[in-house]
Amino acid sequence: MKILVTGGAGFIGSAVVRHIINSTQDSVVNVDKLTYAGNLQSLTDVSDSERYFFEHVDICNAAEMARILNEHKPDAVMHLAAESHVDRSITGPATFIETNIIGTYVLLEAVRAYWSSLTDAAKKAFRFHHISTDEVYGDLPHPDEQPQGQPLPLFTEKTAYAPSSPYSASKASSDHLVRAWLRTYGMPTIVTNCSNNYGPYHFPEKLIPLVILNALEGKPLPIYGKGDQIRDWLYVEDHARALYTVVTQGVAGETYNIGGHNEKQNLDVVYTICDLLDEIVPKNGSYRDQITYVTDRPGHDRRYAIDAGKISRELGWKPQETFESGIRKTVQWYLDNQHWVENVKSGAYKSWIEQNYEKR
Ligand SMILES: NC(=O)c1ccc[n+]([C@@H]2O[C@H](COP(=O)([O-])OP(=O)(O)OC[C@H]3O[C@@H](n4cnc5c(N)ncnc54)[C@H](O)[C@@H]3O)[C@@H](O)[C@H]2O)c1
């Protein structure tokens, strides 16, 4: 197969591209605008492959998307390009509307024109796989709100949408567009909604890499509110395997929830990282001493948790990492890859991109 991946220089997209090149015989066309979150240095392991192609393009550029589709003739599209950071969506929602909603619309229309030109068999086999988040479902009751003895609910594929932030509202909107292109035009789309990812190559503004790097630099470890928000953590390489399973074996028109069965309070995640660092790079006192509580994020969802039963039953996917094994690998990766971190933090990789790539 030839798979067009949007956002392949991002955290999850780069894991998907590495997985496809390293573990399958398929080819990848990576379409990425290289925003602050896109980093080609996350792809140096695979970028020399003859099966890897890069297009430095904004998905909002309809003419360029049409050119890329007609030139590369993909068998499937995996759409990951997005603005993805909730805090940034609160201070500046415009780019979220632009990329996540308008960009998805432009991409759907470009893909529909290309898909319409295929033979009937190729049309049927084609997949438009939209990668989304569990945040579209809003939040779930927290254990401290749930009456004693009552089981805690989980997000299923049938949970009604109730997004809370500009980020999750823009993703919800794009999910609706994708489903409408299936229902109205018959384009074979699939949506996946996944829980919080963590792992190597994660931009250091998100909780886990931020805490690891701040801890090592002796800086405060900021915790929103009481730190009792619950997230269901999935190791990014498990997500990449799930996405490849869905794009190759998933049924058109279906939605699959993807999660790690790892519900953790934010404070416990931070404690685990501190305890690992105490073990691997001990210092005087514990890294836990650097924890600082800060004012909670407005509209902060209290609990997310995924029922990933459908993808497990129907497609046989299960995560390979527990939170304990995945977080240990992640901490060790940041310790071993200071070069990647330094380039991201200093912005040095941006000037390298500007010298090497022309943007369209
Ligand atoms: N990170 C998570 O925990 C998580 C969980 C579930 C779902 N998701 C979804 O998975 C996808 C990828 O998330 P991520 O964490 O890798 O995001 P990321 O922010 O790390 O990467 C996004 C990538 O998209 C690119 N991009 C942004 N705007 C673009 C545009 N207009 N045109 C082309 N490329 C553009 C960026 O340059 C970057 O490479 C997103 O759609 C996100 O909503 C993320």
Side-chain angles (χ1 to χ4, degrees):
M1 280 173 84
K2 186 178 258 189
I3 304 177
L4 190 156
V5 175
T6 70
F11 167 50
I12 301 171
S14 69
V16 169
V17 174
R18 290 191 302 272
H19 176 71
I20 296 174
I21 297 296
N22 289 331
S23 307
T24 80
Q25 292 306 311
D26 297 340
S27 304
V28 172
V29 183
N30 174 15
V31 178
D32 200 299
K33 178 181 172 182
L34 300 178
T35 65
Y36 78 94
N39 187 349
L40 292 177
Q41 292 182 350
S42 306
L43 292 165
T44 43
D45 289 358
V46 295
S47 52
D48 286 341
S49 166
E50 289 174 352
R51 291 181 286 119
Y52 173 79
F53 306 87
F54 176 61
E55 295 276 3
H56 187 191
V57 165
D58 185 334
I59 56 162
C60 299
N61 185 334
E64 278 298 299
M65 289 316 304
R67 175 190 63 77
I68 291 168
L69 287 157
N70 290 320
E71 254 175 55
H72 292 280
K73 304 197 183 318
D75 304 296
V77 171
M78 297 175 82
H79 177 34
L80 294 101
E83 289 293 332
S84 69
H85 190 44
V86 176
D87 289 344
R88 284 179 188 256
S89 83
I90 294 168
T91 51
T95 51
F96 288 72
I97 306 304
E98 185 73 22
T99 287
N100 299 2
I101 305 179
I102 314 272
T104 300
Y105 156 71
V106 169
L107 181 65
L108 281 166
E109 277 298 77
V111 173
R112 183 165 74 91
Y114 162 73
W115 172 76
S116 303
S117 72
L118 300 176
T119 62
D120 284 351
K123 262 191 192 152
K124 206 169 160 212
F126 187 84
R127 291 288 179 271
F128 183 100
H129 177 182
H130 179 61
I131 286 80
S132 192
T133 166
D134 62 353
E135 299 189 32
V136 298
Y137 299 126
D139 63 357
L140 289 165
H142 194 274
D144 67 17
E145 299 159 342
Q146 190 77 347
Q148 279 273 318
Q150 269 195 29
L152 283 164
L154 302 171
F155 295 134
T156 74
E157 289 79 2
K158 294 193 165 36
T159 303
Y161 277 27
S164 313
S165 69
Y167 163 65
S168 52
S170 68
K171 289 297 291 185
S173 176
S174 63
D175 294 10
H176 291 317
L177 290 175
V178 171
R179 293 196 179 96
W181 261 242
L182 169 100
R183 179 80 188 250
T184 306
Y185 304 111
M187 208 164 88
T189 65
I190 302 184
V191 178
T192 51
N193 296 88
C194 186
S195 59
N196 278 47
N197 283 217
Y198 69 100
Y201 302 101
H202 206 177
F203 192 81
E205 66 185 353
K206 304 274 172 87
L207 178 72
I208 289 182
L210 180 83
V211 166
I212 298 171
L213 297 174
N214 277 13
L216 292 170
E217 288 172 23
K219 291 183 180 164
L221 310 180
I223 302 281
Y224 278 134
K226 291 187 283 180
D228 61 353
Q229 307 84 359
I230 294 176
R231 302 290 179 260
D232 177 357
W233 292 96
L234 180 67
Y235 191 63
V236 67
E237 291 172 12
D238 276 325
H239 190 194
R241 282 186 279 270
L243 295 178
Y244 185 74
T245 303
V246 168
V247 79
T248 52
Q249 297 169 43
V251 176
E254 292 294 322
T255 296
Y256 300 92
N257 278 359
I258 306 172
H261 311 291
N262 281 311
E263 280 187 58
K264 305 273 176 209
Q265 295 204 9
N266 284 350
L267 189 58
D268 289 331
V269 169
V270 176
Y271 281 159
T272 305
I273 295 169
C274 290
D275 296 350
L276 275 168
L277 289 172
D278 285 341
E279 176 199 317
I280 305 170
V281 271
K283 62 165 193 165
N284 270 343
S286 168
Y287 290 93
R288 286 192 187 204
D289 301 340
Q290 290 168 230
I291 290 173
T292 314
Y293 294 89
V294 297
T295 310
D296 207 352
R297 168 194 283 166
H300 207 169
D301 288 334
R302 294 205 68 207
R303 174 172 169 259
Y304 304 137
I306 282 271
D307 175 351
K310 177 174 169 179
I311 186 172
S312 154
R313 279 189 309 278
E314 298 185 7
L315 304 180
W317 172 86
K318 281 200 174 62
Q320 293 178 9
E321 301 292 343
T322 61
F323 184 71
E324 288 63 33
S325 65
I327 195 70
R328 183 174 282 277
K329 282 187 179 178
T330 305
V331 168
Q332 194 62 53
W333 186 88
Y334 278 92
L335 289 169
D336 295 343
N337 288 276
Q338 288 296 321
H339 177 66
W340 182 91
V341 172
E342 279 317 312
N343 273 343
V344 168
K345 293 186 106 172
S346 69
Y349 80 106
K350 281 288 172 207
S351 37
W352 174 77
I353 285 163
E354 276 156 22
Q355 282 160 19
N356 287 281
Y357 293 95
E358 181 200 346
K359 180 171 156 262
R360 282 176 292 232

